[in-house]
Structures are given as structure tokens and as C-alpha cells.
PDB file of all heavy atoms in Angstrom:
ATOM      1  N   ILE A   1     -38.711 202.245 149.008  1.00  0.00           N
ATOM      2  CA  ILE A   1     -37.791 202.171 147.882  1.00  0.00           C
ATOM      3  C   ILE A   1     -37.592 203.576 147.329  1.00  0.00           C
ATOM      4  O   ILE A   1     -38.539 204.207 146.889  1.00  0.00           O
ATOM      5  CB  ILE A   1     -38.332 201.231 146.792  1.00  0.00           C
ATOM      6  CG1 ILE A   1     -38.498 199.829 147.378  1.00  0.00           C
ATOM      7  CG2 ILE A   1     -37.427 201.221 145.573  1.00  0.00           C
ATOM      8  CD1 ILE A   1     -39.198 198.849 146.484  1.00  0.00           C
ATOM      9  N   PRO A   2     -36.367 204.084 147.368  1.00  0.00           N
ATOM     10  CA  PRO A   2     -36.124 205.453 146.904  1.00  0.00           C
ATOM     11  C   PRO A   2     -36.267 205.583 145.390  1.00  0.00           C
ATOM     12  O   PRO A   2     -36.147 204.601 144.648  1.00  0.00           O
ATOM     13  CB  PRO A   2     -34.686 205.727 147.332  1.00  0.00           C
ATOM     14  CG  PRO A   2     -34.059 204.385 147.415  1.00  0.00           C
ATOM     15  CD  PRO A   2     -35.145 203.430 147.826  1.00  0.00           C
ATOM     16  N   ASP A   3     -36.544 206.796 144.949  1.00  0.00           N
ATOM     17  CA  ASP A   3     -36.559 207.093 143.521  1.00  0.00           C
ATOM     18  C   ASP A   3     -35.128 207.101 143.005  1.00  0.00           C
ATOM     19  O   ASP A   3     -34.184 207.311 143.745  1.00  0.00           O
ATOM     20  CB  ASP A   3     -37.179 208.472 143.263  1.00  0.00           C
ATOM     21  CG  ASP A   3     -38.662 208.504 143.597  1.00  0.00           C
ATOM     22  OD1 ASP A   3     -39.309 207.445 143.516  1.00  0.00           O
ATOM     23  OD2 ASP A   3     -39.158 209.586 143.937  1.00  0.00           O
ATOM     24  N   ALA A   4     -34.976 206.926 141.718  1.00  0.00           N
ATOM     25  CA  ALA A   4     -33.648 206.922 141.098  1.00  0.00           C
ATOM     26  C   ALA A   4     -33.206 208.328 140.697  1.00  0.00           C
ATOM     27  O   ALA A   4     -32.357 208.493 139.838  1.00  0.00           O
ATOM     28  CB  ALA A   4     -33.649 206.000 139.889  1.00  0.00           C
ATOM     29  N   VAL A   5     -33.748 209.338 141.329  1.00  0.00           N
ATOM     30  CA  VAL A   5     -33.425 210.724 141.014  1.00  0.00           C
ATOM     31  C   VAL A   5     -31.974 211.012 141.379  1.00  0.00           C
ATOM     32  O   VAL A   5     -31.521 210.693 142.468  1.00  0.00           O
ATOM     33  CB  VAL A   5     -34.356 211.688 141.789  1.00  0.00           C
ATOM     34  CG1 VAL A   5     -33.958 213.124 141.566  1.00  0.00           C
ATOM     35  CG2 VAL A   5     -35.796 211.454 141.413  1.00  0.00           C
ATOM     36  N   GLY A   6     -31.233 211.591 140.460  1.00  0.00           N
ATOM     37  CA  GLY A   6     -29.878 212.026 140.738  1.00  0.00           C
ATOM     38  C   GLY A   6     -28.804 210.969 140.577  1.00  0.00           C
ATOM     39  O   GLY A   6     -27.646 211.230 140.846  1.00  0.00           O
ATOM     40  N   ILE A   7     -29.173 209.765 140.163  1.00  0.00           N
ATOM     41  CA  ILE A   7     -28.164 208.725 139.953  1.00  0.00           C
ATOM     42  C   ILE A   7     -27.481 208.985 138.620  1.00  0.00           C
ATOM     43  O   ILE A   7     -28.125 209.306 137.623  1.00  0.00           O
ATOM     44  CB  ILE A   7     -28.803 207.329 139.994  1.00  0.00           C
ATOM     45  CG1 ILE A   7     -29.308 207.060 141.407  1.00  0.00           C
ATOM     46  CG2 ILE A   7     -27.815 206.259 139.568  1.00  0.00           C
ATOM     47  CD1 ILE A   7     -29.988 205.748 141.577  1.00  0.00           C
ATOM     48  N   SER A   8     -26.158 208.832 138.599  1.00  0.00           N
ATOM     49  CA  SER A   8     -25.402 209.128 137.385  1.00  0.00           C
ATOM     50  C   SER A   8     -25.820 208.214 136.233  1.00  0.00           C
ATOM     51  O   SER A   8     -26.367 207.131 136.441  1.00  0.00           O
ATOM     52  CB  SER A   8     -23.899 209.011 137.651  1.00  0.00           C
ATOM     53  OG  SER A   8     -23.561 207.678 137.971  1.00  0.00           O
ATOM     54  N   GLU A   9     -25.538 208.667 135.025  1.00  0.00           N
ATOM     55  CA  GLU A   9     -25.961 207.978 133.791  1.00  0.00           C
ATOM     56  C   GLU A   9     -25.470 206.540 133.693  1.00  0.00           C
ATOM     57  O   GLU A   9     -26.143 205.690 133.152  1.00  0.00           O
ATOM     58  CB  GLU A   9     -25.482 208.759 132.566  1.00  0.00           C
ATOM     59  CG  GLU A   9     -26.200 210.067 132.360  1.00  0.00           C
ATOM     60  CD  GLU A   9     -27.625 209.876 131.884  1.00  0.00           C
ATOM     61  OE1 GLU A   9     -27.879 208.984 131.073  1.00  0.00           O
ATOM     62  OE2 GLU A   9     -28.485 210.642 132.351  1.00  0.00           O
ATOM     63  N   GLU A  10     -24.261 206.279 134.210  1.00  0.00           N
ATOM     64  CA  GLU A  10     -23.706 204.930 134.063  1.00  0.00           C
ATOM     65  C   GLU A  10     -24.181 203.960 135.148  1.00  0.00           C
ATOM     66  O   GLU A  10     -23.827 202.790 135.138  1.00  0.00           O
ATOM     67  CB  GLU A  10     -22.172 204.959 134.014  1.00  0.00           C
ATOM     68  CG  GLU A  10     -21.513 205.423 135.283  1.00  0.00           C
ATOM     69  CD  GLU A  10     -21.292 206.929 135.337  1.00  0.00           C
ATOM     70  OE1 GLU A  10     -21.651 207.664 134.401  1.00  0.00           O
ATOM     71  OE2 GLU A  10     -20.759 207.375 136.344  1.00  0.00           O
ATOM     72  N   CYS A  11     -25.014 204.443 136.056  1.00  0.00           N
ATOM     73  CA  CYS A  11     -25.501 203.615 137.162  1.00  0.00           C
ATOM     74  C   CYS A  11     -27.004 203.376 137.047  1.00  0.00           C
ATOM     75  O   CYS A  11     -27.709 204.105 136.366  1.00  0.00           O
ATOM     76  CB  CYS A  11     -25.217 204.296 138.494  1.00  0.00           C
ATOM     77  SG  CYS A  11     -23.498 204.672 138.792  1.00  0.00           S
ATOM     78  N   GLU A  12     -27.469 202.340 137.754  1.00  0.00           N
ATOM     79  CA  GLU A  12     -28.897 202.100 137.834  1.00  0.00           C
ATOM     80  C   GLU A  12     -29.240 201.533 139.208  1.00  0.00           C
ATOM     81  O   GLU A  12     -28.399 200.968 139.896  1.00  0.00           O
ATOM     82  CB  GLU A  12     -29.379 201.171 136.726  1.00  0.00           C
ATOM     83  CG  GLU A  12     -28.948 199.740 136.842  1.00  0.00           C
ATOM     84  CD  GLU A  12     -29.492 198.872 135.723  1.00  0.00           C
ATOM     85  OE1 GLU A  12     -30.504 199.229 135.104  1.00  0.00           O
ATOM     86  OE2 GLU A  12     -28.891 197.823 135.463  1.00  0.00           O
ATOM     87  N   LEU A  13     -30.486 201.696 139.583  1.00  0.00           N
ATOM     88  CA  LEU A  13     -30.995 201.235 140.863  1.00  0.00           C
ATOM     89  C   LEU A  13     -31.580 199.846 140.667  1.00  0.00           C
ATOM     90  O   LEU A  13     -32.470 199.655 139.843  1.00  0.00           O
ATOM     91  CB  LEU A  13     -32.084 202.208 141.320  1.00  0.00           C
ATOM     92  CG  LEU A  13     -32.427 202.311 142.778  1.00  0.00           C
ATOM     93  CD1 LEU A  13     -31.237 202.803 143.576  1.00  0.00           C
ATOM     94  CD2 LEU A  13     -33.585 203.256 142.964  1.00  0.00           C
ATOM     95  N   VAL A  14     -31.091 198.860 141.418  1.00  0.00           N
ATOM     96  CA  VAL A  14     -31.629 197.503 141.370  1.00  0.00           C
ATOM     97  C   VAL A  14     -32.441 197.301 142.644  1.00  0.00           C
ATOM     98  O   VAL A  14     -31.929 197.482 143.748  1.00  0.00           O
ATOM     99  CB  VAL A  14     -30.500 196.450 141.272  1.00  0.00           C
ATOM    100  CG1 VAL A  14     -31.070 195.043 141.325  1.00  0.00           C
ATOM    101  CG2 VAL A  14     -29.704 196.658 139.996  1.00  0.00           C
ATOM    102  N   VAL A  15     -33.717 196.947 142.489  1.00  0.00           N
ATOM    103  CA  VAL A  15     -34.641 196.841 143.609  1.00  0.00           C
ATOM    104  C   VAL A  15     -34.900 195.381 143.942  1.00  0.00           C
ATOM    105  O   VAL A  15     -35.173 194.574 143.062  1.00  0.00           O
ATOM    106  CB  VAL A  15     -35.979 197.540 143.269  1.00  0.00           C
ATOM    107  CG1 VAL A  15     -36.980 197.368 144.396  1.00  0.00           C
ATOM    108  CG2 VAL A  15     -35.754 199.000 142.958  1.00  0.00           C
ATOM    109  N   ASN A  16     -34.815 195.052 145.237  1.00  0.00           N
ATOM    110  CA  ASN A  16     -35.202 193.738 145.725  1.00  0.00           C
ATOM    111  C   ASN A  16     -36.508 193.935 146.484  1.00  0.00           C
ATOM    112  O   ASN A  16     -36.519 194.385 147.627  1.00  0.00           O
ATOM    113  CB  ASN A  16     -34.117 193.168 146.643  1.00  0.00           C
ATOM    114  CG  ASN A  16     -34.457 191.796 147.162  1.00  0.00           C
ATOM    115  OD1 ASN A  16     -35.619 191.402 147.234  1.00  0.00           O
ATOM    116  ND2 ASN A  16     -33.441 191.054 147.544  1.00  0.00           N
ATOM    117  N   LYS A  17     -37.634 193.614 145.841  1.00  0.00           N
ATOM    118  CA  LYS A  17     -38.939 193.854 146.460  1.00  0.00           C
ATOM    119  C   LYS A  17     -39.228 192.910 147.619  1.00  0.00           C
ATOM    120  O   LYS A  17     -40.042 193.216 148.469  1.00  0.00           O
ATOM    121  CB  LYS A  17     -40.040 193.775 145.409  1.00  0.00           C
ATOM    122  CG  LYS A  17     -40.015 194.963 144.473  1.00  0.00           C
ATOM    123  CD  LYS A  17     -41.251 195.046 143.630  1.00  0.00           C
ATOM    124  CE  LYS A  17     -41.189 196.306 142.775  1.00  0.00           C
ATOM    125  NZ  LYS A  17     -42.390 196.511 142.013  1.00  0.00           N
ATOM    126  N   ALA A  18     -38.539 191.763 147.670  1.00  0.00           N
ATOM    127  CA  ALA A  18     -38.736 190.833 148.781  1.00  0.00           C
ATOM    128  C   ALA A  18     -38.226 191.425 150.088  1.00  0.00           C
ATOM    129  O   ALA A  18     -38.810 191.218 151.149  1.00  0.00           O
ATOM    130  CB  ALA A  18     -38.039 189.509 148.496  1.00  0.00           C
ATOM    131  N   THR A  19     -37.121 192.193 150.010  1.00  0.00           N
ATOM    132  CA  THR A  19     -36.539 192.793 151.210  1.00  0.00           C
ATOM    133  C   THR A  19     -36.736 194.310 151.252  1.00  0.00           C
ATOM    134  O   THR A  19     -36.297 194.950 152.198  1.00  0.00           O
ATOM    135  CB  THR A  19     -35.027 192.490 151.288  1.00  0.00           C
ATOM    136  OG1 THR A  19     -34.384 193.054 150.140  1.00  0.00           O
ATOM    137  CG2 THR A  19     -34.774 190.995 151.350  1.00  0.00           C
ATOM    138  N   CYS A  20     -37.357 194.866 150.221  1.00  0.00           N
ATOM    139  CA  CYS A  20     -37.554 196.322 150.110  1.00  0.00           C
ATOM    140  C   CYS A  20     -36.224 197.064 150.196  1.00  0.00           C
ATOM    141  O   CYS A  20     -36.107 198.099 150.844  1.00  0.00           O
ATOM    142  CB  CYS A  20     -38.524 196.837 151.162  1.00  0.00           C
ATOM    143  SG  CYS A  20     -40.171 196.139 151.034  1.00  0.00           S
ATOM    144  N   SER A  21     -35.211 196.519 149.550  1.00  0.00           N
ATOM    145  CA  SER A  21     -33.892 197.147 149.568  1.00  0.00           C
ATOM    146  C   SER A  21     -33.452 197.471 148.144  1.00  0.00           C
ATOM    147  O   SER A  21     -34.009 196.950 147.183  1.00  0.00           O
ATOM    148  CB  SER A  21     -32.867 196.222 150.231  1.00  0.00           C
ATOM    149  OG  SER A  21     -32.748 195.015 149.515  1.00  0.00           O
ATOM    150  N   VAL A  22     -32.479 198.361 148.052  1.00  0.00           N
ATOM    151  CA  VAL A  22     -31.970 198.780 146.749  1.00  0.00           C
ATOM    152  C   VAL A  22     -30.446 198.724 146.742  1.00  0.00           C
ATOM    153  O   VAL A  22     -29.807 198.754 147.791  1.00  0.00           O
ATOM    154  CB  VAL A  22     -32.418 200.210 146.367  1.00  0.00           C
ATOM    155  CG1 VAL A  22     -33.906 200.284 146.201  1.00  0.00           C
ATOM    156  CG2 VAL A  22     -31.933 201.214 147.373  1.00  0.00           C
ATOM    157  N   LYS A  23     -29.913 198.653 145.546  1.00  0.00           N
ATOM    158  CA  LYS A  23     -28.466 198.669 145.352  1.00  0.00           C
ATOM    159  C   LYS A  23     -28.209 199.485 144.096  1.00  0.00           C
ATOM    160  O   LYS A  23     -28.937 199.370 143.115  1.00  0.00           O
ATOM    161  CB  LYS A  23     -27.988 197.233 145.163  1.00  0.00           C
ATOM    162  CG  LYS A  23     -26.514 197.031 145.149  1.00  0.00           C
ATOM    163  CD  LYS A  23     -26.243 195.579 144.787  1.00  0.00           C
ATOM    164  CE  LYS A  23     -25.269 194.951 145.720  1.00  0.00           C
ATOM    165  NZ  LYS A  23     -24.957 193.573 145.335  1.00  0.00           N
ATOM    166  N   VAL A  24     -27.196 200.336 144.123  1.00  0.00           N
ATOM    167  CA  VAL A  24     -26.822 201.116 142.954  1.00  0.00           C
ATOM    168  C   VAL A  24     -25.638 200.406 142.298  1.00  0.00           C
ATOM    169  O   VAL A  24     -24.601 200.216 142.927  1.00  0.00           O
ATOM    170  CB  VAL A  24     -26.444 202.566 143.330  1.00  0.00           C
ATOM    171  CG1 VAL A  24     -26.068 203.351 142.093  1.00  0.00           C
ATOM    172  CG2 VAL A  24     -27.594 203.241 144.063  1.00  0.00           C
ATOM    173  N   VAL A  25     -25.838 199.978 141.048  1.00  0.00           N
ATOM    174  CA  VAL A  25     -24.806 199.217 140.330  1.00  0.00           C
ATOM    175  C   VAL A  25     -24.516 199.865 138.981  1.00  0.00           C
ATOM    176  O   VAL A  25     -25.317 200.661 138.472  1.00  0.00           O
ATOM    177  CB  VAL A  25     -25.234 197.745 140.111  1.00  0.00           C
ATOM    178  CG1 VAL A  25     -25.403 197.025 141.435  1.00  0.00           C
ATOM    179  CG2 VAL A  25     -26.498 197.659 139.285  1.00  0.00           C
ATOM    180  N   LEU A  26     -23.386 199.487 138.421  1.00  0.00           N
ATOM    181  CA  LEU A  26     -23.044 199.942 137.073  1.00  0.00           C
ATOM    182  C   LEU A  26     -23.955 199.254 136.062  1.00  0.00           C
ATOM    183  O   LEU A  26     -24.210 198.053 136.164  1.00  0.00           O
ATOM    184  CB  LEU A  26     -21.589 199.606 136.743  1.00  0.00           C
ATOM    185  CG  LEU A  26     -20.516 200.422 137.443  1.00  0.00           C
ATOM    186  CD1 LEU A  26     -19.144 199.811 137.184  1.00  0.00           C
ATOM    187  CD2 LEU A  26     -20.555 201.862 136.982  1.00  0.00           C
TER     188      LEU A  26
END
């Protein structure tokens, strides 16, 4: 799972720990 370093202010990282995947959403 990557760090949220460098993601713009209006976005956030949503983590799915069951699949070890991430999505960047508003």
C-alpha cells in the first residue's frame, strides 16, 4: 500500500486491505 505522499489537497487515498489495493478519490 503506497504512502499518500504528494497527493493533492482535494484528493485522498482509499485503501482496500482485503485486496491490498488503493484508489485516489476526491
Side-chain angles (χ1 to χ4, degrees):
I1 300 172
D3 293 333
V5 175
I7 293 178
S8 65
E9 290 288 321
E10 65 270 1
C11 303
E12 70 179 338
L13 203 63
V14 176
V15 177
N16 181 336
K17 289 192 177 185
T19 61
C20 298
S21 61
V22 296
K23 189 187 228 183
V24 180
V25 297
L26 288 171

